[in-house]
């Protein structure tokens, strides 16, 4: 492109024409592929890099892309392999909506730098993925039962979205002795079907014919579609009305109210429409008295009471009834109805309570008497026979027991539970045996009194509560609420902390619980470095008689906070003073100048101390190990280096937020400094020591001599005494010893990597570090009291067991003054 811009005008036109011609020739070449439709996503189509003669690397470099023309992008190019793959399933019927045998998807593969276009045509081949479908799923035909055989009826044909052999091939009709089909082929190859009547129809035998028409295509395997054909046979009046029986007998009670339905006649006519519409009427054989007392509905055939019926006057009535259809040539049917009058059951049963308890306790025994009732009826015969039943007896804890004639006892049949049901509405139903039977209901309300039979229940059997140290005294920790399903005083709960002592401290001095609602509070501020966890029980007790209770275990876990600043214990210096170190100028590269040691009383990440140089006079002269605090020379001193160097070291823990401490070290260089090793005698130049140092050495020698004499005397006295008997530790004291040991072990187990617990181990490490530099250790730094101080920068291989041994052999208890 740059050449075209700088060239003369004529040259630019020639270059542009040449470029366009090259692109046009490239675009004219067409690559064709054929794939079946409905291929899965990611399916391989072709390798464009191989087919188009392209380098696979150029697909990425030249930003190859696929441009689909007038269609959705169904394909994608894998630029790492040059493969053309399916991006989304292709449905041929969606792309080519017209039923053509050929269906193409046109696209361009475009490469940049320089631009090059490849034309690709992808032929989508049809598969048999569409079943034939009828335009109408249900086809209804109305055919008269008088239609002669051989009559033809056109049916809706099926369509298939597929083409060629996959389109509709033939039709099948479900089995029928009355119909078959005739298949015809149109000029375009479409299949059409007609329905042909084979035999005479009889609507009364078969009013509706349900047929299934199936269209099958020519695919492999073939697919099919179905449609339902419903043929309604039209009626002609060729059947007379019929009653279900020639004589009907019905009973009617005396004093039946006007409008009472005696019975409904329902004659049937096998015809339909007006040929089956019936009119009911009395014939001349029915007496006028009967027609005065009973009415007959001409349309429904319903017989009703019209006048007053008296059993003592007439005990039965005879009716002659005709049913006639509405056909052009009406046909009729006849029947006789006998009406018998029965005596009326006009008295209701009576239920009377003789004895009743309105309330019982839920702990009453099975068989307890609740009530005594009687039942009677003033009618006679079966109308006066009374049966007393208990409604829903199968779900009630009660039963009725007949004690004597007409008397019943209501008893408790199952244990009662007020917490499930506290009140019962017991319905007693008295029914006589009259026709129709009469009944009377009596409701007895029984209250169930509560007893204290449920202990309080906590939602959990074990509570674990996390408390961050330095909490505010009186802070709410959690709410331990229990539930008691009893009532009144039986459900009023009181909460207690079950007393338990930890290191002579009662739990009630550490925690408090609201006796009314179970809110648990902390009474003191907890220190993770002293207390790690508490385990105790809380009891919930109700106010019943006798009271019931339950308890739950509470596990309080104290979480650590970064609340302790690292303390620099080596090199020792007075508060706010600068540490001075002297080294020879002839020191080699890698010489240990000093070792910074800091301790942090926190645990885990909060106690992990690292060291950084906050300020240094010469960055090229010294290096600091961020993990062990060792300051070493990175090169030898030159005559240009100042004789004094100033370093500011910061010790920072790994808490959030991090806490830190700093120490300033002033390093002076001299021409000659006395050197010695740990395993050789110390050649002391007397001019090095001041008078004070001399006095200290003399005093230390005297004290060591006296200590040696004392130890020898004690050993002699021990050897002369008899061996003491083994002391038996009482179980209580033994548990105390075990508990204390477990606390010590627990604190020791929290030491992080690269840390060492115990101030004695610190002194041993400090002793080695100071003697390596040829100095006498006579300092006594102030170490904070308490166990568990973390001394950083001790090698990982030194464990607590090694520290204990070293302490016994190297360090003494009390103030320490060590000599190399």
């Amino acid at each position: 492109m740059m050449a075209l811009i700088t060239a003369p005008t004529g040259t630019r036109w020639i270059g542009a024409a040449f470029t366009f011609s090259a692109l046009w020739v490239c675009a004219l070449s067409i690559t064709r592929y054929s794939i079946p439709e409905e291929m899965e996503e990611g399916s391989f189509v072709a390798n464009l890099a191989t087919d188009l003669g392209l380098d696979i690397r150029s697909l990425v470099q030249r930003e190859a892309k696929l441009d689909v023309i007038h269609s959705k992008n169904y394909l994608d190019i894998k630029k790492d392999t040059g493969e053309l793959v399916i991006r989304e399933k292709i449905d041929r019927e969606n792309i080519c909506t017209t039923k053509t045998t050929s269906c193409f998807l046109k696209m361009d593969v475009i490469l940049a730098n320089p631009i090059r276009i490849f034309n690709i045509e992808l032929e989508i081949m049809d598969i048999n993925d569409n079943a034939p479908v009828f335009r109408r799923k249900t086809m209804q035909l109305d055919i008269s039962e008088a239609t002669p055989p051989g009559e033809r009826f056109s049916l809706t044909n099926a369509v298939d979205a597929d083409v060629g052999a996959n389109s509709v091939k033939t039709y099948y009709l479900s089995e029928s002795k009355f119909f078959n089909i005739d298949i015809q082929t149109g000029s375009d190859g479409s299949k059409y079907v007609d329905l042909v009547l084979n035999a005479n129809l009889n609507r009364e035998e078969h009013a509706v014919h349900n047929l299934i028409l199936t269209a099958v295509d020519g695919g492999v395997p073939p697919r099919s579609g179905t449609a339902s054909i419903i043929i309604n046979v039209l009626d002609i009046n060729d059947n007379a009305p019929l009653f279900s029986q020639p004589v009907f007998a019905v009973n009617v009670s005396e004093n039946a109210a006007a409008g009472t339905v005696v019975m409904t006649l329902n004659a049937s006519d096998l015809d339909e429409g007006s040929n089956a519409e019936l009119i009911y009427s009395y014939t001349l054989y029915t007496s006028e008295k009967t027609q005065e007392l009973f009415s007959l509905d001409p349309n429904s055939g319903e017989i009703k009471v019209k006048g007053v019926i008296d059993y003592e006057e007439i005990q039965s009535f005879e009716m002659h009834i005709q049913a006639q259809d509405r056909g052009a040539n009406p046909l009729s049917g006849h029947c006789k109805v006998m009406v018998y009058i029965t005596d009326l059951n006009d008295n209701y049963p009576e239920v009377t309570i003789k004895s009743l308890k309105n309330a019982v306790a839920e702990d009453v025994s099975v068989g307890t008497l609740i009530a005594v009732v009687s039942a009677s009826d003033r009618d006679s015969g079966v109308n006066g026979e009374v049966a007393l039943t208990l409604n829903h007896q199968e779900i009630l804890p009660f039963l009725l027991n007949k004690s004597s004639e007409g008397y019943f006892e209501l008893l408790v049949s199952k244990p009662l539970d007020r917490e499930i049901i506290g009140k019962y509405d017991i319905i007693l139903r008295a029914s006589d045996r009259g026709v129709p039977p009469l009944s009377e209901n009596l409701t007895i309300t029984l209250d169930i009194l509560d007893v204290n039979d449920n202990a309080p229940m906590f939602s959990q059997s074990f509570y674990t509560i996390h408390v961050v140290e330095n909490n505010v005294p009186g802070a709410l920790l959690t709410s331990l609420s229990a539930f008691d399903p009893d009532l009144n005083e039986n459900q009023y709960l009181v909460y207690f902390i079950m007393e338990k002592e930890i290191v002579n401290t009662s739990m009630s001095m550490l925690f408090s619980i609201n006796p009314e609602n179970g809110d648990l509070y902390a009474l003191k501020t907890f220190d993770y470095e002293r207390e790690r966890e508490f385990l105790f029980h809380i009891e919930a007790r109700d106010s019943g008689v006798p009271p019931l209770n339950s308890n739950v275990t509470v596990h309080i876990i104290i979480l650590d906070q970064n609340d302790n600043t690292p303390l620099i214990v080596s090199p020792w210096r007075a508060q706010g003073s600068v540490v001075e170190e002297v080294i020879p100028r002839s020191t080699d590269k890698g010489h240990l100048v000093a070792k910074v040691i800091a301790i942090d009383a926190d645990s885990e990440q909060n106690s992990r101390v690292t060291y950084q140089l906050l300020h240094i006079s010469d960055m090229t002269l010294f290096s600091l190990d961020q993990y062990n605090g060792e300051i070493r020379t990175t090169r030898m001193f030159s005559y240009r280096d100042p004789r004094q160097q100033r370093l500011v070291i910061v010790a920072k823990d790994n808490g959030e937020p991090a806490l830190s401490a700093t120490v300033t070290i002033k390093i002076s260089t001299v021409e000659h400094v006395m050197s010695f090793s740990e395993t050789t005698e110390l050649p002391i130049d007397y001019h090095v020591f001041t008078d004070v140092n001399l006095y200290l050495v003399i005093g230390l020698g005297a004290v060591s001599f006296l200590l040696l004499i004392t130890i020898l005397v004690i050993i002699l006295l021990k050897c002369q005494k008899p061996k003491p008997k083994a002391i038996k530790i009482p179980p209580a004291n033994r548990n105390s010893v075990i508990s204390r040991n477990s606390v010590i072990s627990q604190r020791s187990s929290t030491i992080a990597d690269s840390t060492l617990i115990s101030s004695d181990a610190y002194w041993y490490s400090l002793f080695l570090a100071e003697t390596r530099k040829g100095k006498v250790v006579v300092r006594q730094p102030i170490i904070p009291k308490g166990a568990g101080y973390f001394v950083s920068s001790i090698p990982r291989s030194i464990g607590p067991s090694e520290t204990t041994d070293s302490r016994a052999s190297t360090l003494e208890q009390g103030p320490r003054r060590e000599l190399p």
Side-chain angles (χ1 to χ4, degrees):
M1 293 301 292
M2 291 298 296
L4 291 174
I5 293 172
T6 56
T9 304
T11 306
R12 287 200 302 269
W13 281 108
I14 295 171
F18 177 78
T19 302
F20 179 78
S21 299
L23 292 176
W24 179 255
V25 171
C26 293
L28 286 178
S29 60
I30 298 176
T31 304
R32 290 186 174 86
Y33 299 103
S34 295
I35 62 169
E37 61 176 330
E38 303 293 342
M39 289 180 68
E40 295 294 331
E41 295 180 10
S43 298
F44 173 81
V45 176
N47 193 316
L48 291 180
T50 302
D51 296 343
L52 301 179
L54 299 174
D55 187 4
I56 294 178
R57 291 173 298 177
S58 67
L59 296 178
V60 178
Q61 296 172 356
R62 298 179 64 181
E63 301 177 357
K65 66 178 182 178
L66 191 65
D67 184 16
V68 180
I69 302 173
H70 304 304
S71 180
K72 185 178 178 181
N73 191 1
Y74 291 96
L75 297 100
D76 202 354
I77 299 176
K78 284 188 177 181
K79 296 181 180 180
D80 54 344
T81 61
E83 294 178 351
L84 182 65
V85 296
I86 299 296
R87 181 180 183 181
E88 184 179 339
K89 278 188 176 182
I90 301 174
D91 188 354
R92 181 184 183 280
E93 288 71 34
N94 287 339
I95 297 175
C96 301
T97 56
T98 59
K99 295 191 66 173
T100 58
T101 55
S102 300
C103 180
F104 290 93
L105 188 64
K106 297 181 179 181
M107 62 196 78
D108 293 333
V109 177
I110 302 176
L111 301 178
N113 301 321
I115 294 176
R116 192 174 180 185
I117 301 173
F118 296 92
N119 297 118
I120 295 177
E121 286 187 356
L122 184 63
E123 182 182 4
I124 310 301
M125 295 184 295
D126 183 47
I127 64 174
N128 191 23
D129 58 340
N130 291 281
V133 177
F134 286 91
R135 295 188 181 93
R136 293 169 58 190
K137 287 293 185 181
T138 302
M139 293 176 277
Q140 292 193 356
L141 297 175
D142 294 333
I143 303 175
S144 173
E145 60 180 330
T147 303
E151 192 73 21
R152 303 172 68 90
F153 305 92
S154 297
L155 300 177
T156 303
N157 65 310
V159 293
D160 193 323
D162 295 323
V163 296
N166 294 329
S167 62
V168 177
K169 181 179 180 181
T170 186
Y171 293 89
Y172 297 99
L173 184 67
S174 59
E175 184 177 355
S176 173
K177 67 178 181 179
F178 296 98
F179 299 95
N180 62 10
I181 57 174
D182 181 22
I183 303 172
Q184 300 179 10
T185 304
S187 58
D188 58 350
S190 300
K191 301 291 184 178
Y192 300 95
V193 62
D194 287 340
L195 183 67
V196 181
L197 180 63
N198 286 339
N200 290 319
L201 300 176
N202 189 339
R203 194 204 62 79
E204 289 72 32
E205 293 180 359
H206 210 158
V208 178
H209 295 264
N210 291 304
L211 305 177
I212 301 298
L213 181 62
T214 304
V216 181
D217 62 21
V220 179
R223 291 177 175 266
S224 62
T226 61
S228 177
I229 303 175
I230 301 175
I231 300 172
N232 298 311
V233 181
L234 303 181
D235 182 54
I236 60 174
N237 192 21
D238 56 348
N239 293 279
L242 292 174
F243 287 95
S244 59
Q245 58 192 62
V247 178
F248 295 90
V250 62
N251 295 319
V252 178
S253 299
E254 64 173 331
N255 299 326
T260 301
V261 177
V262 176
M263 70 173 300
T264 300
L265 295 173
N266 188 14
S268 61
D269 192 320
L270 298 180
D271 295 324
E272 67 176 0
S274 61
N275 296 329
E277 294 178 6
L278 304 180
I279 300 174
Y280 298 91
S281 61
Y282 290 117
T283 67
L284 298 176
Y285 298 106
T286 304
S287 66
E288 293 182 0
K289 182 64 175 180
T290 300
Q291 296 184 33
E292 289 176 0
L293 295 178
F294 299 94
S295 64
L296 175 62
D297 190 304
N299 296 317
S300 64
E302 189 176 59
I303 302 174
K304 294 182 179 180
V305 175
K306 187 166 62 171
V308 178
I309 301 174
D310 187 359
Y311 174 79
E312 289 70 27
E313 182 179 351
I314 302 176
Q315 289 77 36
S316 64
F317 297 88
E318 183 177 324
M319 304 177 188
H320 296 270
I321 298 174
Q322 168 186 284
Q324 187 177 32
D325 63 29
R326 297 177 182 268
N329 298 312
L331 302 175
S332 61
H334 300 82
C335 74
K336 182 171 68 172
V337 177
M338 295 298 299
V339 179
Y340 298 97
I341 309 303
T342 59
D343 191 18
L344 182 65
N345 181 28
D346 54 354
N347 291 288
Y348 286 86
E350 295 180 357
V351 181
T352 305
I353 298 176
K354 301 299 182 181
S355 175
L356 175 65
K357 291 181 180 179
N358 293 319
V360 294
E362 62 177 323
D363 60 347
V364 297
S365 60
V366 175
T368 300
L369 179 65
I370 302 298
V372 177
V373 296
S374 65
S376 61
D377 194 317
R378 291 182 297 169
D379 290 325
S380 60
V382 294
N383 294 334
E385 296 178 6
V386 180
L388 187 63
T389 57
L390 184 62
N391 277 14
H392 307 296
Q393 181 173 347
E394 64 277 0
I395 62 174
L396 291 177
F398 307 102
L399 61 83
L400 278 174
N401 182 34
K402 188 173 183 179
S403 59
S404 61
E405 188 63 33
Y407 286 86
F408 298 86
E409 294 177 344
L410 181 62
L411 305 175
V412 176
S413 63
K414 300 176 184 177
L416 304 178
D417 192 345
R418 188 212 59 81
E419 286 72 35
I420 298 178
I421 300 178
K423 182 179 180 181
Y424 289 94
D425 289 327
I426 305 170
I427 301 176
L428 302 178
R429 184 181 183 86
S431 302
D432 62 24
R433 299 182 182 276
V435 179
L438 300 179
S439 62
E440 186 71 22
N441 292 339
L442 176 67
T443 301
I444 296 176
T445 300
L446 180 65
D447 294 321
I448 308 302
L449 303 179
D450 184 53
V451 297
N452 191 26
D453 58 344
N454 290 280
M457 295 180 294
F458 286 93
S459 59
Q460 300 175 219
S461 61
F462 191 90
Y463 288 85
T464 300
I465 305 171
H466 295 85
V467 181
V468 181
E469 66 170 331
N470 302 321
N471 59 292
V472 178
L476 176 65
L477 301 183
T478 188
S479 180
L480 307 173
S481 60
F483 171 73
D484 193 320
D486 292 323
L487 285 179
N488 302 326
E489 66 276 2
N490 295 332
Q491 73 169 171
Y492 297 150
L493 303 182
V494 181
Y495 299 89
F496 305 91
I497 294 179
M498 301 178 71
E499 286 299 332
K500 177 183 178 182
E501 290 190 358
I502 298 180
V503 194
N504 298 326
T505 301
S506 174
M507 274 299 160
S508 60
M509 299 177 63
L510 301 177
F511 303 96
S512 172
I513 190 167
N514 189 320
E516 295 181 356
N517 58 22
D519 289 346
L520 184 64
Y521 300 89
L523 297 182
K524 60 166 288 186
T525 300
F526 297 109
D527 187 356
Y528 177 82
E529 286 70 39
R530 295 179 180 274
E531 306 100 356
R532 298 292 173 89
E533 62 180 4
F534 301 94
L535 192 67
F536 56 93
H537 300 281
I538 289 178
E539 178 181 302
R541 181 185 305 163
D542 61 27
S543 302
V545 179
L548 301 178
N549 62 75
S550 64
N551 61 73
V552 66
T553 303
V554 179
H555 187 199
I556 305 292
I557 299 176
I558 309 301
L559 302 179
D560 185 40
Q561 269 189 339
N562 191 26
D563 55 347
N564 291 282
T565 303
L567 177 64
I568 298 177
V569 297
S570 174
W572 180 87
R573 85 283 189 199
Q575 186 67 26
S577 62
V578 178
V579 177
E580 295 186 0
E581 299 286 349
V582 179
I583 60 174
R585 292 186 68 83
S586 60
T587 298
D588 294 332
K589 175 183 177 182
H591 176 73
L592 177 65
V593 177
K595 183 180 180 70
V596 181
I597 301 176
I599 61 175
D600 194 315
D602 291 320
S603 66
E604 298 180 355
Q605 295 298 323
N606 296 331
S607 66
R608 199 180 293 270
V609 180
T610 56
Y611 305 90
Q612 297 177 0
L613 281 169
L614 192 62
H615 173 74
I616 185 171
S617 301
D618 190 345
M619 293 293 294
T620 65
L621 196 53
F622 301 99
S623 67
L624 171 66
D625 191 306
Q626 64 172 337
Y627 298 109
N628 59 25
E630 292 182 351
I631 303 173
R632 296 183 180 271
T633 57
T634 58
R635 62 176 175 82
M636 296 184 65
F637 287 91
S638 66
Y639 68 91
R640 294 190 183 91
D641 295 326
R643 291 188 174 275
Q644 293 184 347
Q645 300 286 337
R646 183 181 181 87
L647 284 75
V648 179
I649 313 298
V650 57
K652 182 168 62 175
D653 61 26
N654 200 30
E656 287 293 337
L659 302 178
S660 61
T662 60
V663 61
T664 302
I665 300 176
K666 181 180 178 183
I667 300 175
S668 302
T669 59
V670 296
E671 295 300 331
H672 299 286
V673 174
M674 173 187 63
S675 62
F676 58 91
S677 65
E678 298 178 8
T679 58
T680 60
E681 295 184 358
L682 177 64
I684 301 176
D685 293 338
Y686 291 98
H687 68 275
V688 175
F689 293 93
T690 63
D691 293 338
V692 176
N693 289 337
L694 182 60
Y695 295 149
L696 290 175
V697 172
I698 294 173
L700 182 61
V703 171
S704 301
F705 178 75
L706 291 176
L707 179 62
L708 181 61
I709 296 299
T710 303
I711 292 173
L712 291 175
V713 172
I714 291 173
I715 292 173
L716 291 175
L717 292 175
K718 290 287 185 180
C719 292
Q720 294 176 358
K721 291 182 180 181
K723 294 184 180 180
K725 296 182 179 180
I727 300 174
K728 295 184 179 180
I729 300 175
N733 295 338
R734 188 183 299 115
N735 294 336
S736 175
V737 171
I738 293 173
S739 175
R740 293 179 183 179
N741 290 341
S742 65
V743 172
I744 295 172
S745 175
Q746 181 182 7
R747 291 186 176 179
S748 299
S749 65
T750 60
I751 303 174
D753 292 340
S754 303
T755 60
L756 179 65
I757 194 166
S758 162
S759 58
D760 293 340
Y762 152 70
W763 280 112
Y764 176 67
S765 175
L766 179 61
F767 174 79
L768 295 179
E770 294 294 333
T771 53
R772 288 193 187 102
K773 296 185 292 182
K775 295 186 180 181
V776 181
V777 181
V778 295
R779 304 168 188 165
Q780 184 177 357
I782 300 173
I783 304 299
K785 294 181 179 180
Y789 293 100
F790 295 92
V791 182
S792 180
S793 303
I794 302 302
R796 187 182 299 236
S797 62
I798 299 178
S801 60
E802 296 176 6
T803 303
T804 304
D805 297 340
S806 301
R807 179 177 63 189
S809 62
T810 308
L811 304 177
E812 298 292 340
Q813 299 293 332
R816 297 162 174 78
R817 292 177 175 83
E818 291 87 346
L819 289 174

